[in-house]
Amino acid sequence: MPRLVLVLGDQLTTRVAALREADLSTDVVVMAEVMGEATYVRHHVRKLAFCFSAMRHFRNRLRSAGWTVDYTQLDDEAAHDSIAGAILSAADRHGSTEVIATEPGEWRLLEALQSLPLKTTMLEDDRFVASHADFNAWAANRKELRMEWFYRDMRRKTGLLMEDGEPAGGQWNFDHDNRKPAPKGIDFGGPLRFSPDGITKEVLTMIELRFPDNFGVLRPFWFAVREEEAGRALSHFIKHALAPFGDYQDAMLSNDDFLSHSLLSIYLNAGLLDPIEVCEAAEQAWKDGAAPLNAVEGFIRQIIGWREYMRGIYWREGPEYDARNALSHRRKLPEFYWTAETEMRCIRRAVEATRDHAYAHHIQRLMVTGNFALLAGIDPAEVYDWYMLAYADAYGWVMAGNVIGMSQFADGGIVGSKPYVSSGNYINRMSDYCAECAYDVKKRTGEDACPFNFLYWHFLDRHRERFQSNPRMANMYRSWDRLADDKKAAVIGQANAFLDAL
Ligand code: FAD
Ligand code: DLZ
Ligand code: SF4
């Protein structure tokens, strides 16, 4: 009796634990496109296309390597509603009683797989640097789970950018060098784009037919869908964009949706790239003198620091983490998160990029759409749902810490020691958005005052009790307290009117 070997749509590598454990000559690999996964959030059409095309390419690769793959396409008559249903049906077909799986990236699917009426071996997903045990050991007995300390352990564990046990360049973190606005006219070249092959074209047609009302623009579709293509996207980034990544990783430009960002999260999270190989390629560029240390350290920190840390938080905090709402925010997500129809140019550009590419870079996610939602008191569950469906790299294990923790402070301060809020001033410093915005970034009140300005003070004022004793926020409260009462009243009045009209 063959054992079944489950490979999910974000486990597309022969290095995934279940495949390493499996026997090519006797076991059957099960891969299934199912409506349950396609609809548990109403994914961006580009994410759906990426996922199904990459799954089909990986199926072909496994078959060429000699594996028996039981694959159902979404448009097959035999397609199932859920992953569990697909496994049970494959078990019937092959007379199997045993399944080997690699732990999925979300609690809901883990729970479904754990309830299968089959002998199930659930292997830990070791495509990460830190195992659950590593993260929990690091977190145990710490009062604060700050990413920086975890990151240093990951540097020691991997040996990346380490010299004789010390951080290369004598410093762990070069973040202070990485906050430059992008100079006018700079051209980063953009990510490598791929033309759809026959498989991808079929998938695109299927997505158009079956998901006509989902958010996002599908064509032209240019994501990599095979490991080899993702490898080329990595080489392209290392050659063309890694060097300026350091200086400009927080910058935003109206006419460039990507700047020096790698666009590798989509591939990393689906299994098309391995995080350590990505980091080693970046480290090699530094050793070869092709990229400066501040850029390479900044990039590696995102992957073995933030990415691993977010995953650790997700599994440690449990299945209820993404429902937290520490600031009791209840407002509905404004319509312009879907339509991009707003006079706020920063938001318009971030939502347009999201709609067009299923991608926005980190600072757009954190300091534009995330910042606005937090300032405006949007219900974090609505914010979470929007991010989950809007981005091609979205999975629970990485989204929850970023949205509930980092962006919305809805976990009450596990991920961040203070909320990521800013007035328009930060956006103005880091972008060219404000120069052509209908609002005036210098104004705090008045008809054309930048909404980020009055909302910022409104946020601080309404959450004074929680934040006024936070030493990192004391300066902000001092500035607010220096303002005359009538000016404060004008700010609060304008913010309330704006929020009522949202
Ligand atoms: P680059 O800027 O080139 O960074 C390199 C790599 O570092 C990324 O590919 C990614 O793997 C990793 N990385 C950087 N920052 C983070 C981070 N905070 N958490 C995890 N990995 C990180 N990332 C996701 O992978 N999936 C998500 O669903 C996701 N949702 C986010 C939601 C919000 C509100 C915020 C603030 C951030 C979110 N991020 C998410 C983190 C980050 O914004 C993306 O990883 C990054 O924008 C991906 O683009 P890139 O590959 O061009 O990244
Ligand atoms: C994202 C996604 C989608 C859209 N569809 C499928 C699918 O049909 N079959 C599958 O195996 N995986 C899919 N995925 C990826 C899963 O949603 C992902 O494995 C879980 O969210 C856990 O990370
Ligand atoms: Fe955004 Fe305000 Fe700048 Fe307009 S002025 S782009 S709303 S920060």
Side-chain angles (χ1 to χ4, degrees), residues 134-444:
D134 288 341
F135 190 84
N136 290 335
W138 171 79
N141 305 321
R142 276 175 198 265
K143 264 191 124 167
E144 293 192 322
L145 302 183
R146 293 293 157 250
M147 195 287 294
E148 180 62 27
W149 305 110
F150 170 75
Y151 164 59
R152 293 181 188 187
D153 274 8
M154 295 300 99
R155 288 273 293 279
R156 291 187 191 98
K157 179 167 181 187
T158 57
L160 285 161
L161 298 181
M162 296 297 290
E163 292 171 335
D164 301 326
E166 296 298 320
Q171 237 172 277
W172 290 102
N173 183 317
F174 290 81
D175 214 18
H176 276 290
D177 302 339
N178 294 354
R179 293 175 185 161
K180 297 193 179 75
K184 246 194 165 126
I186 189 166
D187 181 4
F188 295 101
L192 194 60
R193 295 171 186 239
F194 300 87
S195 302
D197 64 2
I199 293 177
T200 302
K201 283 181 186 159
E202 261 183 35
V203 169
L204 294 178
T205 307
M206 178 183 84
I207 300 298
E208 278 165 340
L209 277 172
R210 302 201 56 158
F211 304 94
D213 299 325
N214 281 36
F215 180 63
V217 173
L218 184 60
R219 296 175 195 261
F221 180 88
W222 50 265
F223 288 160
V225 289
R226 294 186 290 119
E227 190 176 295
E228 177 271 328
E229 289 174 339
R232 281 198 279 140
L234 167 64
S235 305
H236 176 89
F237 165 72
I238 299 281
K239 192 164 170 202
H240 299 287
L242 175 60
F245 176 84
D247 286 358
Y248 304 124
Q249 65 176 279
D250 287 0
M252 298 175 277
L253 284 176
S254 303
N255 66 355
D256 188 339
D257 293 334
F258 311 111
L259 292 98
S260 57
H261 293 278
S262 68
L263 273 93
L264 295 180
S265 56
I266 299 160
Y267 312 139
L268 278 164
N269 296 353
L272 301 189
L273 287 176
D274 173 72
I276 288 297
E277 281 180 15
V278 169
C279 291
E280 283 172 351
E283 184 184 43
Q284 193 58 48
W286 169 63
K287 287 182 177 161
D288 294 343
L293 186 54
N294 73 307
V296 174
E297 186 283 316
F299 180 72
I300 287 178
R301 174 162 24 92
Q302 307 308 317
I303 295 180
I304 62 168
W306 281 112
R307 185 171 185 269
E308 295 282 335
Y309 169 85
M310 290 302 183
R311 175 176 182 261
I313 293 285
Y314 179 73
W315 291 112
R316 182 180 155 82
E317 291 301 315
E320 308 307 325
Y321 180 76
D322 57 20
R324 293 191 197 172
N325 188 357
L327 301 181
S328 302
H329 283 168
R330 305 267 176 244
R331 209 173 295 279
K332 292 243 155 283
L333 192 76
E335 189 61 17
F336 53 71
Y337 275 74
W338 307 105
T339 62
E341 282 169 20
T342 165
E343 298 288 349
M344 291 180 279
R345 193 149 187 271
C346 51
I347 299 224
R348 190 165 76 232
R349 287 302 300 119
V351 174
E352 283 169 350
T354 305
R355 177 198 66 199
D356 294 350
H357 314 298
Y359 176 85
H361 59 74
H362 186 67
I363 294 300
Q364 288 176 311
R365 299 187 203 196
L366 185 64
M367 298 312 292
V368 178
T369 45
N371 185 15
F372 182 87
L374 179 55
L375 293 177
I378 310 297
D379 185 337
E382 295 223 352
V383 181
Y384 180 78
D385 285 350
W386 183 80
Y387 280 101
M388 267 304 277
L389 75 76
Y391 292 105
D393 57 13
Y395 301 92
W397 66 265
V398 59
M399 189 52 91
N402 271 300
V403 176
I404 298 299
M406 181 188 260
S407 165
Q408 298 302 299
F409 206 82
D411 66 359
I414 295 171
V415 166
S417 56
K418 76 175 192 45
Y420 278 93
V421 282
S422 82
S423 65
N425 188 32
Y426 173 85
I427 296 173
N428 191 31
R429 194 165 69 245
M430 297 312 301
S431 80
D432 62 358
Y433 296 143
C434 304
E436 287 178 46
C437 182
Y439 292 107
D440 186 342
V441 72
K442 301 281 178 216
K443 287 194 184 158
R444 197 168 41 208

Side-chain angles (χ1 to χ4, degrees), residues 101-116:
T102 310
E103 179 184 82
E106 294 182 1
W107 283 105
R108 61 171 184 93
L109 199 49
L110 179 63
E111 283 158 7
L113 295 178
Q114 280 169 337
S115 322
L116 282 171

